Amino acid sequence: MTVAFFDTKPYDKPAFVEFGTAHGLEFRFFETKLNASTAALAQGCEAVCVFVNDTVDAAVIDALYAQGVKLIALRSAGYNNVDVRHAFGKIHVVHVPAYSPYAVAEHAMALLLTSIRRIHKAYNRTREFNFSLGGLVGFDLHGKTVGVVGTGRIGCIFAEICRGFGMRVLAYDRFPKADSGLAYVSLDELFTQSDIISLHCPLTDETRHLIDGAAIEKMKKGVVLLNTSRGALIDAQALLDGIKARKIGAACLDVYEEEADVFFEDRSGHILSDDLLARLISMPNVLVTSHQAFLTEEALRNIAETTVGNICSFFENDGICDNELCYRCGHIERCKKERKERCF
Ligand code: NAI
């Protein structure tokens, strides 16, 4: 069994080689991302393994299908880069629903603390023996209100961490959890009452630009925005406008709408062509990490183990895999809990 592995990074290989070898899988590692021009690299492979910035649109799916690829194995939880609808009836799609929700939730809190206590600025200062405190005044998290948008695996853990800091937690979810003990409010209430807003919902047609100019207008002056979910949840231009208008107190971004051509790569010797990203990064109250929230040892091992398990389960189990993303049932993820048989 050979799997074409796209967008390979050095940190991906060890665990995938270890778990793959143990299960008789051979990975062909390609550094290039999957797109219409690179799909031919999967020739002779039964499956492709892709990450968040690979392009798996209709054209790519058709090209893979024509080559005989039977499975697209996402090594991520999010799948907004895959046209699951177009894949239906042609190629099965599996993902890693949870590998370490703690990794992402803890990173969100790390960004928040770094930002509001100016740790990044203090670190740079003391390295140059500048021990002054000017401009480093932060604020207590204790007693503040945090709004959590999306109370799935990551959002619930983030809410729990915030409770540990003595914060009041408000929540919004399209599908609220009945017995979660969370105080659900409307999105508008969350916007108007929160000192800090953290996004943990998936990117869908409905959530694209969830945070736009109108949403920012409703927020408290000085609000801190955290996005460790998907970049396009926030209209980046509206965010920049909100920062320039002094409405937004700080923004912590692990994801960015146009990150695909920038994040995960060393661009330090290049001229950054994305003016919006450059302007955001230049702001003293914006903290950017490059889609790093998942990157812990535990998560990397879980991702590799689950992905290898998904591929083996699919090919050894007559196409049945618990982590299949199914378009037919209309619930994409939730359907798998209800069905016992393969979807097509
Ligand atoms: P999950 O599926 O457990 O939770 C998502 C929650 O969002 C669910 O409770 C769902 O009901 C809710 N939701 C769906 N549509 C919504 C809407 N329109 N408005 C509000 N809530 C809505 O997913 P999980 O594991 O908690 O991950 C959340 C997101 O985090 C993923 O979709 C992914 O985009 C992102 N992520 C980012 C990573 C990073 O490295 N920065 C790593 C892993 C995930």
Side-chain angles (χ1 to χ4, degrees):
M1 169 72 59
T2 313
V3 182
F5 194 105
F6 287 91
D7 200 10
T8 311
K9 294 287 181 289
Y11 52 76
D12 288 319
K13 280 189 182 175
F16 272 93
V17 169
E18 179 190 328
F19 288 109
T21 308
H23 290 85
L25 293 186
E26 186 198 326
F27 286 103
R28 262 187 225 162
F29 291 105
F30 299 110
E31 286 182 16
T32 182
K33 291 188 179 65
L34 175 61
N35 55 45
S37 340
T38 60
L41 291 169
Q43 190 71 48
C45 296
E46 287 90 342
V48 295
C49 183
V50 300
F51 197 49
V52 294
N53 288 323
D54 288 299
T55 304
V56 198
D57 57 13
V60 170
I61 288 165
D62 288 344
L64 295 174
Y65 182 56
Q67 287 166 209
V69 171
K70 295 185 177 51
L71 184 70
I72 295 164
L74 279 149
R75 54 183 190 278
S76 61
Y79 46 86
N80 52 283
N81 55 326
V82 179
D83 190 339
V84 180
R85 179 182 193 145
H86 190 80
F88 184 73
K90 300 186 179 79
I91 304 185
H92 294 262
V93 184
V94 294
H95 76 145
V96 183
Y99 40 85
S100 174
Y102 301 99
V104 183
E106 289 171 13
H107 191 80
M109 181 48 86
L111 283 174
L112 176 59
L113 286 170
T114 302
S115 170
I116 66 159
R117 300 308 302 268
R118 322 278 191 254
I119 304 294
H120 52 312
K121 292 181 190 296
Y123 173 78
N124 284 331
R125 278 189 198 180
T126 54
R127 282 175 67 82
E128 295 193 351
F129 308 127
N130 174 354
F131 300 106
S132 68
L133 297 182
L136 299 185
V137 179
F139 63 81
D140 292 5
L141 285 180
H142 188 270
K144 296 293 183 303
T145 299
V146 61
V148 179
V149 180
T151 54
R153 287 167 286 250
I154 297 169
C156 279
I157 292 167
F158 183 74
E160 215 34 59
I161 292 172
C162 290
R163 280 207 195 98
F165 276 78
M167 301 169 82
R168 172 181 171 240
V169 179
L170 298 179
Y172 171 77
D173 198 298
R174 182 94 160 68
F175 309 98
K177 286 191 175 54
D179 51 359
S180 64
L182 287 163
Y184 284 102
V185 294
S186 71
L187 201 50
D188 273 2
E189 282 174 273
L190 186 145
F191 288 156
T192 53
Q193 292 185 35
S194 300
D195 302 297
I196 294 138
I197 296 174
S198 195
L199 305 179
H200 300 287
C201 60
L203 176 62
T204 62
D205 289 344
E206 197 183 336
T207 61
R208 184 172 299 274
H209 288 186
L210 184 86
I211 307 296
D212 57 7
I216 291 170
E217 191 65 35
K218 293 172 192 156
M219 293 175 193
K220 280 187 175 179
K221 185 172 163 52
V223 64
V224 179
L225 277 181
L226 305 177
N227 190 4
T228 55
S229 197
R230 283 293 179 268
L233 293 177
I234 298 182
D235 175 346
Q237 182 61 54
L239 173 66
L240 181 63
D241 294 343
I243 290 166
K244 285 163 82 175
R246 315 293 195 268
K247 177 79 186 230
I248 291 173
C252 302
L253 311 173
D254 185 53
V255 285
Y256 170 67
E257 189 165 4
E258 301 297 334
E259 71 178 47
D261 295 329
V262 186
F263 280 15
F264 299 109
E265 307 295 337
D266 180 359
R267 302 273 176 211
S268 53
H270 298 251
I271 307 292
L272 189 61
S273 57
D274 187 328
D275 289 351
L276 192 49
L277 178 60
R279 189 75 178 100
L280 282 170
I281 289 175
S282 78
M283 290 290 177
N285 52 355
V286 175
L287 203 56
V288 174
T289 51
S290 49
H291 209 134
Q292 180 191 331
F294 74 99
L295 197 63
T296 65
E297 286 176 16
E298 292 82 356
L300 288 173
R301 286 189 68 76
N302 289 342
I303 288 170
E305 189 172 20
T306 305
T307 305
V308 167
N310 284 344
I311 297 170
C312 292
S313 161
F314 178 81
F315 285 102
E316 291 164 9
N317 227 352
D318 194 26
I320 296 174
C321 173
D322 278 351
N323 293 326
E324 176 160 7
L325 297 169
C326 172
Y327 173 72
R328 190 184 63 173
C329 306
H331 298 299
I332 306 238
E333 275 185 75
R334 283 180 297 146
C335 74
K336 66 179 180 276
K337 299 182 184 87
E338 291 145 26
R339 76 190 157 85
K340 293 277 177 286
E341 295 170 5
R342 55 191 302 177
C343 279
F344 69 84

